[in-house]
Each structure stands twice: as C-alpha cells, then as structure tokens.
Amino acid sequence: MSRYIRPIRPFPALLLAVVLTACGGGVHGTPGGPGLGDPYFPRAGNGGYDVTHYGLSLAYDPAHRHLTGTAVITARATEDLSAFDLDLQGLDVDGVTVESQGARWNRAGQELTVRPRTDLDRGETFRTTVRYSGTPETLTDPDGSKEGWLRTADGALALGEPAGSMAWFPGNHHPSDKATYDIAVTVPEGLQAVSNGEPTGRTTEHGRTTYAWHTDQPMASYAAMVAIGRYDITRSALKNGLPVYAAVERAQAEASRKVLARIPEIMEWEEDNFGPYPFSSAGAVVGSADAAGYALETQTRPVFPGAPDTATLVHELAHQWYGDSVTPESWRDMWLNEGFATYAEWLWREDHGGDTAQQTFDALYRGDYYDDPEENKAIWAFPPAKPTGAAHVSDSPVYERGAMVLQKIRQTVGDDTFYDIIQGWAAAHRHGNASTADFTAYVEKKAPDEDFGPLWRDWLYGEGKPKRP
C-alpha cells in the first residue's frame, strides 16, 4: 500500500442471532465464531471453516449503482458446525443454500449467519451459495480514506484493505484465510471490467459484456479487486514469458506510458533481489484519483490513482512477494508488508544511483529525512510490531521504522546472509501466512551465531527512539 493509508476502525461487537434454534435430535455441531479475534479487527473473519475457493458472478449497473451478485464459496469445516458466519456489509441477501439445499440465515451488522439443514462434520468440504443485490457501500476510514465499493465517473473500483471486500462479496474476510478465485463481472457494453489473475473469457450479449478472470494462487480477500470503467487493456510478456496485463483509464494513458514500460525492468530487478516471482501474471491498473486516492497492492495487478512514480511502482510490485504471497497472520503483522515494500524502495535507489539504504536509514534516524519535523518525529510514535490501534496499522512506524529493522538486520549479518534471509523468507512462506514471531525465528535460524535480542527489543518492539550503538 502507498504510505499512510489507514484502515477503518474495528466494528463494534455484534449480537449473533439467537432465533436460529438448533434442530432437535442428532445435533453434534456448534456455531462457528463470528470473528477470529484479530488484535485490531476482532470481528474480521469467522471461525470453524477455511475457504478454498470463491466463485463470484457480479453484474453492475453504474447508472443506478446497482450490484447483483452470486457468491459460490467452497470451504472445509475445521470443526463440527451447526452454523457459520460470513462477513457481508450492507447489500440485501436474496437467498442462501448449502450443498444445494436451502439454508436458514440471519443478518446482524456485518455478520451473515448461515444454518445448514444438517450439521457439517469436521473435515467436510461444503459449498455455500449466496445470492445478493443492492447498492454496495463505500466504507470510510477514520482518517477519511475510502475502501469497499468506490464509485467512479463511469464505473466503480472495489478495494478491500483491510475490511472493504465485505462490501461487495460475502466471505471469510481475514488475511489468514486465503483462497483461489474466479470473478466474472457483467457491465454495460463499452465498459471494461478488470480483476486479479488472468482473463478466461469475454462475451457480449444484449448490450452487456461479461469479463471473466481467474486467480489460481491463494489470495487474501483484501487483495482482491474489481475495476470497472473505460480502460485500455493491454497484454505483454516478460523475457521469461510471464504475461503482463495493464489496464489504464484512457485519460491516464499518455501519463502512464513511460513508467509502466519499466515494469519488465523492475520485475527483473525484484526477482534478482527477492527470488522467483510468486504468481502466474503481473501488471497494473491505473485509474483516476477521484476514487480511492491511494495505491494498493492488489494481487498480480496493483491499483494506482493516476500514473505512479517509479518508487511507488517498485513498492507495490514488491508487495507481490511481501504481503500478497507471504501474507500477514494478523493485522498486527502489517510491518511485514510495508516495512519490506518500503525497504524495496531503498534498495532500488541504492542500485540506481541514489542514496544507499544506510544513508536513508541515517537521515531517518537523524530526523532530517522529511522537510516537516512532525513527519520525522512520527517515525518513533510506536514500535513497528506493536501499532497502538486499528487506525495506526498503516502509519509511518510500520513503513519507515519497519524498513529500518531490515537495515539493522543487514548491518548485523552482512549482505550475503541478508539476501539469503529475505529470499528464503519469501520462499519458505510462499502463498501462505506468517507472523512477526515466525520472521524473527527465521532470521535467528539463518544466522545462529548472532544475538538478535537487543535488535528485536529496541527496534522491533521498543517504545520511542532506540539508542544507536
């Protein structure tokens, strides 16, 4: 994500429906939890199951701001379930089935509670279909940032970090539950619809066009996106044959041409530094600033509000390794996304005639990196691994001080071991989830002769500005 984009506040505690009484006889399951207890978004996600695939069929009418959707959710029960929850904010539910049988359901805030006709056994794979419609909501973060379903001049932009995906499809919306996706979007003829992964078809009938996209590698729901509008969609390929799909709003085409032409160069450089690219396609979506106003690392295809500069493109593409492939276990681990992507910017400058990473570190530590003294001071507001609340998981300490932690590791172990660490980390947790504790244990394993205790204590978890040895 681009700097200082802050998430929405945790949703208040929600009362689950008590009207869903258990069927008599033979009941052995219990309701799955309505949240996963994330330290900053406790109601995000749901307990009792793991989603393996989302099949989303969406139809959007921009003129009336009306969305019609069908979500087919394939999941595996992780416990015996008599009921389970899905996250869905707003929109009207028109019907729910589980394994093709009608299911009872209830709404309470962002929770859609589903009771199948028969209990689900632990280990059982089941398919839930939710039909829904209405005007999807734009969610407002505490600092005024927008996410969810964002209306644009001729269409919409759907973004999800940290909680916005529940505004346009029901699911288990926590980064710890990743799945594959098929997303088909029907729009009025003349508009385009872009999503993650690779295109699998386009059909036009009765004045409406359906665009289908497939994501074969696991994806956290916050990294899913849909962009609807008048885009020029181009396909190219890297030297290794990897397809690159770029969707550029026509008004941004000229301004974006030069920087997007650097994608092959940046991707090759990032593979040299971070290891093999983890996905089956790459690219970008360039829209206008009238929607979100920030860049976001949506999987395979980051979204930019207008033509990005090179540093932002480097940052968001680095997230494909750190954030999209290796996804945080909880929102407390956000520095594993943003610290790494910020450090990628430092390395790019270092390798392309700019300041070295150490010079950037030194300027931040001295407090003269930014022209505004308050920005320099903000870096030390809290430790990168301990944000002070949900509104701060994307604040400066997560980015800059997170990157400073990586530079301290590099200082400690030297370049050869450092690059072994960051490449090995991306490989070890490829397409998975990881926590800060996983990372520190991994570093210690790769450099067993070093004492990292003071580094973790002072730079990763310590309050205030550490004393510099």
Side-chain angles (χ1 to χ4, degrees):
M1 189 191 299
S2 59
R3 285 190 176 88
Y4 316 136
I5 304 307
R6 289 178 268 275
I8 62 172
R9 62 175 61 89
F11 289 90
L14 301 168
L15 294 176
L16 293 180
V18 295
V19 296
L20 298 175
T21 55
C23 300
V27 175
H28 62 278
T30 57
L36 291 177
D38 186 274
Y40 300 117
F41 299 91
R43 292 293 176 178
N46 302 282
Y49 65 94
D50 175 69
V51 179
T52 57
H53 184 73
Y54 289 95
L56 306 178
S57 298
L58 310 174
Y60 186 60
D61 178 2
H64 298 93
R65 302 182 61 189
H66 187 79
L67 178 71
T68 301
T70 299
V72 181
I73 304 165
T74 303
R76 180 181 60 84
T78 56
E79 58 188 75
D80 295 335
L81 290 174
S82 60
F84 59 91
D85 280 32
L86 298 168
D87 300 317
L88 182 64
Q89 179 71 25
L91 298 170
D92 300 317
V93 175
D94 303 315
V96 181
T97 64
V98 178
E99 288 298 287
S100 301
Q101 293 186 321
R104 289 185 292 168
W105 53 272
N106 186 76
R107 300 292 298 278
Q110 74 182 66
E111 301 295 330
L112 168 62
T113 303
V114 178
R115 179 176 292 279
R117 288 192 181 182
T118 58
D119 287 4
L120 301 168
D121 295 329
R122 180 179 180 180
E124 178 180 352
T125 297
F126 63 98
R127 181 173 294 179
T128 302
T129 300
V130 181
R131 293 181 294 106
Y132 57 99
S133 60
T135 301
E137 295 184 9
T138 297
L139 307 180
T140 303
D141 294 353
D143 66 349
S145 309
K146 306 290 185 182
E147 62 170 325
W149 193 267
L150 312 176
R151 189 180 184 185
T152 61
D154 54 8
L157 178 62
L159 298 177
E161 186 175 334
S165 295
M166 67 179 177
W168 56 283
F169 69 95
N172 198 23
H173 292 300
H174 188 268
S176 63
D177 192 359
K178 301 168 73 170
T180 58
Y181 282 72
D182 282 285
I183 301 178
V185 187
T186 302
V187 295
E189 190 175 1
L191 298 182
Q192 289 74 42
V194 183
S195 190
N196 312 85
E198 295 80 57
T200 56
R202 183 179 71 180
T203 58
T204 299
E205 187 176 7
H206 305 304
R208 297 179 69 77
T209 303
T210 299
Y211 295 83
W213 296 82
H214 174 69
T215 299
D216 196 43
Q217 292 84 29
M219 177 168 69
S221 63
Y222 80 81
M225 69 88 185
V226 168
I228 298 168
R230 290 181 171 84
Y231 290 92
D232 289 328
I233 303 174
T234 60
R235 184 192 186 280
S236 58
L238 303 183
K239 291 178 182 178
N240 61 9
L242 184 82
V244 177
Y245 299 95
V248 181
E249 194 174 84
R250 290 167 188 172
Q252 300 291 327
E254 183 59 33
S256 302
R257 186 173 292 111
K258 184 179 290 187
V259 67
L260 293 185
R262 301 195 74 175
I263 287 178
E265 174 193 1
I266 294 170
M267 289 286 293
E268 183 177 353
W269 177 86
E270 292 194 340
E271 283 199 299
D272 286 344
N273 283 273
F274 310 141
Y277 181 68
F279 301 116
S280 51
S281 69
V285 175
V286 179
S288 61
D290 67 347
Y294 55 83
L296 189 66
E297 64 270 20
T298 43
Q299 189 161 306
T300 67
R301 203 148 295 112
V303 171
F304 301 95
D309 58 25
T310 300
T312 303
L313 187 58
V314 168
H315 182 108
E316 302 304 337
L317 290 177
H319 274 309
Q320 304 306 305
W321 283 261
Y322 308 109
D324 291 356
S325 177
V326 185
T327 303
E329 188 67 33
S330 78
W331 289 111
R332 176 178 286 160
D333 305 305
M334 187 69 160
W335 83 275
L336 292 172
N337 290 19
E338 302 301 348
F340 272 81
T342 300
Y343 196 71
E345 295 181 56
W346 297 9
L347 291 177
W348 174 269
R349 286 200 298 268
E350 180 175 278
D351 287 351
H352 292 82
D355 288 347
T356 66
Q358 186 60 47
Q359 287 172 326
T360 303
F361 178 101
D362 291 341
L364 287 165
Y365 191 85
R366 287 194 309 267
D368 57 13
Y369 184 79
Y370 295 109
D371 292 335
D372 184 349
E374 290 303 313
E375 288 189 71
N376 291 309
K377 183 180 177 181
I379 294 168
W380 313 109
F382 56 81
K386 291 173 59 180
T388 52
H392 303 291
V393 297
S394 290
D395 278 4
S396 176
V398 174
Y399 287 70
E400 274 73 30
R401 189 167 167 183
M404 294 176 86
V405 170
L406 296 176
Q407 179 62 14
K408 289 294 292 184
I409 296 171
R410 185 181 176 188
Q411 287 177 328
T412 301
V413 302
D415 278 9
D416 288 346
T417 301
F418 177 74
Y419 282 99
D420 284 346
I421 288 171
I422 61 173
Q423 292 180 14
W425 172 251
H429 294 278
R430 182 181 175 99
H431 301 151
N433 294 87
S435 67
T436 299
D438 293 328
F439 178 71
T440 56
Y442 185 83
V443 172
E444 291 171 359
K445 181 179 178 180
K446 297 290 283 187
D449 295 332
E450 301 291 347
D451 178 12
F452 290 97
L455 197 162
W456 306 145
R457 183 191 66 228
D458 297 338
W459 287 90
L460 193 54
Y461 292 106
E463 300 289 343
K465 186 176 181 179
K467 291 182 180 179
R468 188 169 181 183

